[in-house]
Amino acid sequence: MKKFIWMFAIITAVFLFSVSVYATDVYIDGAKVQFDSSTGYPFVNEGRTLVPLRATMESFGAEVEWEQDTQTAVVRKGTTWVRCKVWESCIYRNNVKIPNDASAVIVDGRTYLPIRAVLESFGATVSWDGNVVVTSPGAGNLIYTVENAKAVTTNYWGIWNEALSLKSSGQYYLAIDKIKSISSLFIKENQSSSNAMLFKHLGECYSSLGDYKSAAECFKRESYYWSITPGMTESMIDATRRATLITADSQVFIKTTDDTLDASNWFGADYEPKRGIYAGAYAESDSNIYNPYDPSRFYMDTYSSLVGKNVGAYLLYLPYGRDLSTYQSHIDYASSKGKLVQIALEPHMGLSSVNSTDGYLQKLASDMEAASCPMILRFAGEMNDMSAPWYTSDANLYIQKFREVASVFHTYAPSVAVIWAPNFYPSETIDKYYPGDEYVDYVGISSYKVYQGITDPLGQGIDRSRWSNQLDYLYSHYGHKKPIIIVESGASYVNYDTGADLTSFASSQLSDFYTYLPIKYPNVKMCFHYDANDGNYSFLISGNQSYLNTYRQSISNSYYLAGTNQTDARYSYYELGNNVNIKAEYTELASYITSPVKNVAYVKYFINGVDLGVAYGIPYTVNADFSSYKGQKINITIKAYDENHMEITSQTVNVNVI
């Protein structure tokens, strides 16, 4: 995918072709968006406001890219992406079509898009007071107050040093007041790095006071200023991470059996279900269920017995250069039982050992094509992880080798799907290793959850991250165009550093992960659990009864399919956002609540302000009858509360009942 290089702009209503010279400003959460000659300037076109998309949406915290081959603008933020194809009078929010009264157009080499529909798809509100005023979900006026505060002195460096001294001594309220008294002077200097540090210190003060909402707003603004500072990508990522790890948020989903409203895609890849997730595992190393000298303890049978479901897909690791016949008995057994096999082809001698002309790849591909069981190939996975033996900072070399392998397999093994699968970290390097759409059949990811209290932005040693949002980056970048496979996964129930028992933590993360996979990521089509121990990490299912029980319960959900011969799941979920359509029928609502600091006790649902119901425990489901609202636009509100009945977060979406 090519990075977005054209000038983008957005219109609030119907596009008009004549342009006036009157300019307007854009404010996002009270902060003025900075436009210049490189971004373009807002202007009014016969009463219609147009603003540059890239500068506007990046200030909103989103990414903007351009797909040249499909003439489509793609805007991403968190788990939400919006696709706007030129000349189509609609947009697509997470694959769900939203009609729009204005289409994206190209005029004089520039693309213009409807701002209101795009921003509202991210939960923002857009209003007009002589300027375009955009408010993010749950945002307040803090940023505006800080950036527009009246300065009380011109000696701001002296006040700045005094503020930092107060902060270091724990006098956070006084430090905040001092910083605010000079903040507008910093902003006027237009030094992005200084502005970033201002919001970093403010955020840390608010965080220390327990005002996590204000702290998160400051960290988000810090991230923005780092993003426009050359060479500060790592600082931007760190600020975003800190904001995310203390931000309370919510998403609401609706269950459907209607293909026209289905957020899942069927891409036509080999062995891809139209709906549902094939449960799979790597289990060869589990000595409790596999003994190579005892035919009665073959893991493709005993694993299914252990987890209470006929698991139909298994993972095998094959060092590059080794013949497929190494696993002949496994393949024969898989064939007799109708199992799918994922082969992880690993070049342990480095990428230089990969040669598409010496005949090895051709023979391997031919052997896999001739195998009597379904097979998929993962080549050099986790390539973005420096600990991988085949890691290289030369992404072009990796891409070249992957393309060679993929080309051979597409020629000699057309029924063997090829998987490109980075590690979940570092996410910021994933894109540069992508080989290109024509070489990739499935996009995969290695996704693990281990306890890391050291990352706690509050300094309390608590791991506030959540396994069930680990796929957000990869899914938002590739989930609209490729089926997704979780090629390896697990939550360690032992602390790597101390050896302490983490059964409760791991089981909770595991349940959360498998509960929300079908809801948040409908284009995930397979998920392989890593049933083994890895150094000080413990993922072995048979080694922990509580962990095993949680896994058994998790995959008992009918959305998790036993194998490639099972009927697809009968339902799916899609996320509700502004202007999304829902059917006038009786169905189920579910929620995903992010609450890193407070525990969620229950969630309340409302339709047009009327109490609909309350839900306890993930995924916070309630049943709703929308039949009486047919033809209406209604609002659905969810509110999450802690055990003291204090509201944690809320969200309202306006939807169309059809």
Side-chain angles (χ1 to χ4, degrees), residues 383-394:
M383 81 300 297
N384 58 319
D385 183 351
M386 293 179 66
S387 66
W390 45 88
Y391 168 81
T392 175
S393 59
D394 184 356

Side-chain angles (χ1 to χ4, degrees), residues 89-301:
S89 57
C90 62
I91 61 176
Y92 294 86
R93 181 187 188 275
N94 290 1
N95 287 339
V96 177
K97 183 178 180 179
I98 300 176
N100 192 41
D101 59 2
S103 61
V105 297
I106 296 178
V107 178
D108 295 332
R110 294 174 179 172
T111 304
Y112 296 78
L113 299 174
I115 187 173
R116 184 179 297 278
V118 174
L119 283 165
E120 285 183 346
S121 291
F122 291 96
T125 57
V126 183
S127 59
W128 169 262
D129 67 355
N131 298 304
V132 176
V133 179
V134 181
T135 305
S136 299
N141 295 316
L142 174 62
I143 304 304
Y144 179 85
T145 300
V146 172
E147 296 195 349
N148 294 277
K150 184 177 180 180
V152 298
T153 178
T154 57
N155 179 29
Y156 58 87
W157 283 114
I159 301 296
W160 173 255
N161 290 329
E162 186 180 348
L164 295 189
S165 178
L166 289 167
K167 174 175 176 270
S168 64
S169 64
Q171 300 180 72
Y172 302 114
Y173 285 114
L174 292 176
I176 290 170
D177 288 342
K178 291 290 185 182
I179 292 174
K180 285 183 177 180
S181 72
I182 56 171
S183 56
S184 62
L185 299 176
F186 273 72
I187 302 302
K188 287 178 182 177
E189 290 290 335
N190 201 26
Q191 296 294 320
S192 57
S193 59
S194 295
N195 295 344
M197 290 304 298
L198 181 148
F199 280 104
K200 181 177 189 295
H201 285 292
L202 267 181
E204 289 172 348
C205 286
Y206 281 118
S207 178
S208 297
L209 291 169
D211 184 353
Y212 303 119
K213 181 179 181 295
S214 296
E217 287 188 58
C218 289
F219 291 148
K220 288 175 184 176
R221 195 60 176 165
E222 175 199 348
S223 177
Y224 164 72
Y225 281 117
W226 287 132
S227 74
I228 61 174
T229 305
M232 299 305 293
T233 300
E234 292 297 325
S235 294
M236 178 194 71
I237 293 169
D238 177 62
T240 300
R241 179 189 64 80
R242 281 184 273 113
T244 300
L245 289 177
I246 58 173
T247 298
D249 201 359
S250 58
Q251 297 168 267
V252 59
F253 299 83
I254 191 167
K255 193 174 186 178
T256 185
T257 57
D258 188 336
D259 290 340
T260 65
L261 298 176
D262 194 349
S264 64
N265 280 354
W266 184 66
F267 301 93
D270 291 317
Y271 319 118
E272 175 197 357
K274 289 187 177 180
R275 278 180 174 173
I277 299 171
Y278 293 141
Y282 170 72
E284 189 188 20
S285 294
D286 191 339
S287 60
N288 294 312
I289 61 172
Y290 177 57
N291 185 337
Y293 305 106
D294 182 357
S296 68
R297 294 178 62 196
F298 198 82
Y299 63 89
M300 291 186 190
D301 282 333

Side-chain angles (χ1 to χ4, degrees), residues 635-647:
N635 63 66
I636 298 174
T637 299
I638 58 172
K639 295 184 178 183
Y641 297 87
D642 64 16
E643 58 272 15
N644 296 317
H645 311 293
M646 299 296 293
E647 184 178 313

Side-chain angles (χ1 to χ4, degrees), residues 540-585:
L540 193 72
I541 284 182
S542 64
N544 188 303
Q545 189 63 48
S546 177
Y547 187 75
L548 169 60
N549 291 342
T550 301
Y551 182 74
R552 285 174 63 102
Q553 179 62 35
S554 297
I555 65 171
S556 66
N557 184 333
S558 63
Y559 199 87
Y560 289 96
L561 309 176
T564 56
N565 58 354
Q566 182 179 333
T567 303
D568 293 336
R570 295 188 299 273
Y571 66 90
S572 65
Y573 290 86
Y574 63 98
E575 185 183 354
L576 294 184
N578 288 318
N579 304 313
V580 166
N581 292 335
I582 64 175
K583 294 293 288 292
E585 61 185 12

Side-chain angles (χ1 to χ4, degrees), residues 338-356:
K339 310 293 187 183
L340 178 144
V341 174
Q342 176 198 163
I343 296 292
L345 183 62
E346 301 186 329
H348 290 278
M349 301 305 293
L351 291 173
S352 61
S353 66
V354 177
N355 187 341
S356 62

Side-chain angles (χ1 to χ4, degrees), residues 245-509:
L245 289 177
I246 58 173
T247 298
D249 201 359
S250 58
Q251 297 168 267
V252 59
F253 299 83
I254 191 167
K255 193 174 186 178
T256 185
T257 57
D258 188 336
D259 290 340
T260 65
L261 298 176
D262 194 349
S264 64
N265 280 354
W266 184 66
F267 301 93
D270 291 317
Y271 319 118
E272 175 197 357
K274 289 187 177 180
R275 278 180 174 173
I277 299 171
Y278 293 141
Y282 170 72
E284 189 188 20
S285 294
D286 191 339
S287 60
N288 294 312
I289 61 172
Y290 177 57
N291 185 337
Y293 305 106
D294 182 357
S296 68
R297 294 178 62 196
F298 198 82
Y299 63 89
M300 291 186 190
D301 282 333
T302 51
Y303 185 84
S304 293
S305 298
L306 181 71
V307 301
K309 191 161 195 166
N310 182 24
V311 174
Y314 291 89
L315 163 63
L316 295 171
Y317 296 94
L318 184 69
Y320 187 91
R322 190 171 295 178
D323 198 84
L324 185 65
S325 62
T326 301
Y327 287 117
Q328 194 61 52
S329 62
H330 298 251
I331 293 169
D332 291 343
Y333 202 89
S335 175
S336 70
K337 298 292 184 178
K339 310 293 187 183
L340 178 144
V341 174
Q342 176 198 163
I343 296 292
L345 183 62
E346 301 186 329
H348 290 278
M349 301 305 293
L351 291 173
S352 61
S353 66
V354 177
N355 187 341
S356 62
T357 63
D358 63 4
Y360 169 72
L361 286 170
Q362 287 80 356
K363 183 177 186 303
L364 177 62
S366 298
D367 290 346
M368 289 179 67
E369 180 71 14
S372 50
C373 66
M375 304 197 84
I376 55 179
L377 176 82
R378 169 171 42 127
F379 170 69
E382 303 178 10
M383 81 300 297
N384 58 319
D385 183 351
M386 293 179 66
S387 66
W390 45 88
Y391 168 81
T392 175
S393 59
D394 184 356
N396 290 329
L397 174 62
Y398 172 82
I399 289 171
Q400 173 195 333
K401 295 300 182 180
F402 188 99
R403 288 178 174 180
E404 289 180 22
V405 173
S407 296
V408 168
F409 270 80
H410 287 158
T411 301
Y412 290 89
S415 66
V416 176
V418 179
I419 309 165
W420 171 74
N423 206 343
F424 72 94
Y425 72 90
S427 62
E428 65 270 16
T429 65
I430 286 175
D431 293 339
K432 73 175 186 177
Y433 290 96
Y434 186 59
D437 293 348
E438 65 182 292
Y439 299 97
V440 175
D441 300 313
Y442 284 87
V443 167
I445 189 170
S446 293
S447 179
Y448 289 95
K449 182 59 193 164
V450 296
Y451 194 91
Q452 292 183 311
I454 195 172
T455 64
D456 185 3
L458 305 184
Q460 298 171 3
I462 299 173
D463 189 336
R464 300 181 190 276
S465 61
R466 193 169 176 183
W467 190 16
S468 58
N469 62 22
Q470 200 176 89
L471 275 63
D472 287 358
Y473 181 89
L474 181 125
Y475 192 84
S476 68
H477 281 68
Y478 303 98
H480 64 282
K481 61 181 179 179
K482 295 290 179 181
I484 306 297
I485 297 181
I486 300 172
V487 294
E488 300 177 15
S489 61
S492 179
Y493 50 81
V494 174
N495 187 298
Y496 181 89
D497 297 313
T498 67
D501 180 79
L502 293 174
T503 297
S504 178
F505 171 82
S507 296
S508 175
Q509 292 280 349

